[in-house]
Amino acid sequence: ARPPLPGRIRRGFLDGIGRLVQAVRYLVLARQWAGRIAEVVPAADVWQSEGLITLPVALELRRRRGGRVVYDARDLHVESAGFARLPGPWRRLLAGRERAWAQSADAVLTANRPYAEVLDRTLGVRATVVLNGPLAQDAPVSQVPVRERLGLAPTTRIVLYLGNVAPNRGVEQLCRAIAGVPDAALLVVG
């Protein structure tokens, strides 16, 4: 049973206040982190942000110590992990901040052309593609098919997870779910 409307409104209001406090706290912490880093790290030519979480830190370090900021946008941050579970208005606000921060960076990097195209559309930045592996013609190729290497029957379907093996990436759920898929094997590459 859903709570009466005044209870839902109150909970929604308190949730909104809590998220606002969390956002302000994060911005304050980002400045504090940058301040502590600036105390112990010499001035740098480049401050590289590995994702959205560290981007305001890198921008603050540039403001305090000079240099340039490179934003390595290796994921669609506002659409992934915990950010994707934020209510719509908060996700839009965060997306706007990411856009402004990315446009403030001196350069934006990403891992492939499709990501670069999305970043151009969503952030209004032209990202440089830096492949994080060997070029296709240089990649070592096994002469043994993967099914044979893993001892799988030719009819076994392979479900491939390719990405970061870390909490909140869906790997745990995928491991549980694969048990219910007949004649399939999960291959995790990360």
Side-chain angles (χ1 to χ4, degrees):
R2 294 179 74 173
L5 189 57
R8 287 197 317 250
I9 292 172
R10 181 176 179 271
R11 253 199 318 272
F13 175 75
L14 291 175
D15 182 56
I17 295 295
R19 290 187 191 278
L20 177 62
V21 168
Q22 185 179 18
V24 170
R25 179 179 178 269
Y26 170 72
L27 292 175
V28 168
L29 285 174
R31 285 201 176 109
Q32 289 176 355
W33 294 330
R36 290 183 183 141
I37 292 167
E39 289 173 5
V40 297
V41 174
D45 293 327
V46 177
W47 304 100
Q48 182 166 342
S49 165
E50 293 285 335
L52 176 58
I53 297 295
T54 59
L55 184 53
V57 176
L59 291 168
E60 179 66 15
L61 284 164
R62 178 184 66 188
R63 188 186 72 74
R64 290 175 185 229
R65 304 297 301 271
R68 296 178 183 234
V69 171
V70 174
Y71 178 30
D72 185 354
R74 64 186 189 279
D75 206 346
L76 304 175
H77 297 285
V78 177
E79 302 300 324
S80 63
F83 295 134
R85 292 188 294 271
L86 288 172
W90 286 105
R91 240 185 7 263
R92 286 189 293 279
L93 178 67
L94 183 59
R97 289 308 316 143
E98 181 182 23
R99 182 180 180 87
W101 288 333
Q103 290 176 357
S104 295
D106 298 290
V108 178
L109 307 177
T110 196
N112 58 50
R113 178 66 24 222
Y115 267 159
E117 291 168 2
V118 169
L119 295 173
D120 189 22
R121 281 193 315 271
T122 60
L123 302 180
V125 296
R126 299 209 42 90
T128 300
V129 175
V130 178
L131 299 174
N132 60 358
L135 297 175
Q137 68 267 17
D138 299 333
V141 178
S142 171
Q143 299 303 314
V144 181
V146 70
R147 281 186 173 80
E148 186 179 325
R149 288 177 61 200
L150 298 174
L152 300 173
T155 57
T156 301
R157 293 175 292 168
I158 295 176
V159 176
L160 173 65
Y161 172 85
L162 178 62
N164 189 9
V165 181
N168 299 318
R169 300 291 291 194
V171 179
E172 299 92 342
Q173 293 86 348
L174 187 55
C175 289
R176 285 191 294 276
I178 197 69
V181 180
D183 301 317
L186 174 61
L187 177 57
V188 177
V189 179

